[in-house]
Amino acid sequence: MGSVIREMIVDASPEKVWQTVGNFAEGPRLTTPDIFVDCLLIEPDLRQMTFADGKIVRERLIARDEPARRIVWAWQGEEVKHDNTSMQVFAECDGRSRLVWIHDTSPDDLCDWLAVAMDQLAPEIRRSLERAN
């Protein structure tokens, strides 16, 4: 299994960042509105997201830890054997936050594609979180 890890400093309080990132039902649409045009719960722990290009994906909530400000979900699809994705928010100095985004997936060859996608999404996520602050 391969891992892709990205970290970003966000000019917003950890509480504000967690309020958005920890929102399983709406987080993707709130952080990347140009990418995800819809995000809805089809079961209490299963969300369906629609990309701007019409592609639909489903993700299952694995864990949500309020005190640790950590959320974990799994991408469900034919192209993956296993997937775990997490985001965790840490307090930084001056009221800022550090967001750690980890994607563990199998098969390993998905990691290159995921790394590119995460690199493209990370700046948009950071900007959205800072605007919401």
Side-chain angles (χ1 to χ4, degrees):
M1 183 174 326
S3 293
V4 182
I5 303 168
R6 297 294 181 262
E7 293 189 24
M8 63 189 90
I9 300 297
V10 180
D11 191 15
S13 71
E15 295 80 15
K16 286 287 192 182
V17 172
W18 175 244
Q19 184 177 13
T20 302
V21 169
N23 183 340
F24 183 70
E26 291 290 323
R29 192 185 57 73
L30 294 171
T31 57
T32 50
D34 294 336
I35 306 296
F36 295 107
V37 296
D38 192 26
C39 185
L40 61 103
L41 288 182
I42 57 176
E43 295 176 13
D45 65 344
L46 183 65
R47 67 185 174 197
Q48 179 173 290
M49 301 178 307
T50 305
F51 285 82
D53 67 3
K55 180 177 176 151
I56 295 173
V57 298
R58 290 185 175 182
E59 295 176 331
R60 181 153 318 267
L61 179 64
I62 303 299
R64 188 176 182 284
D65 185 335
E66 187 77 29
R69 294 189 203 104
R70 181 174 182 264
I71 188 167
V72 182
W73 64 90
W75 168 27
Q76 297 186 322
E78 294 177 6
E79 51 279 287
V80 296
K81 290 181 186 175
H82 176 82
D83 178 80
N84 255 25
T85 305
S86 66
M87 284 188 166
Q88 188 165 8
V89 182
F90 297 92
E92 288 288 315
C93 60
D94 300 327
R96 299 183 309 158
S97 303
R98 180 169 44 99
L99 178 60
V100 179
W101 184 13
I102 301 173
H103 210 116
D104 299 320
T105 196
S106 176
D108 290 354
D109 60 355
L110 287 175
C111 287
D112 291 338
W113 174 82
L114 286 169
V116 170
M118 290 168 72
D119 287 342
Q120 291 173 346
L121 290 173
E124 178 64 26
I125 291 170
R126 183 183 50 76
R127 279 190 297 272
S128 293
L129 292 169
E130 289 176 348
R131 270 194 309 266
N133 191 38

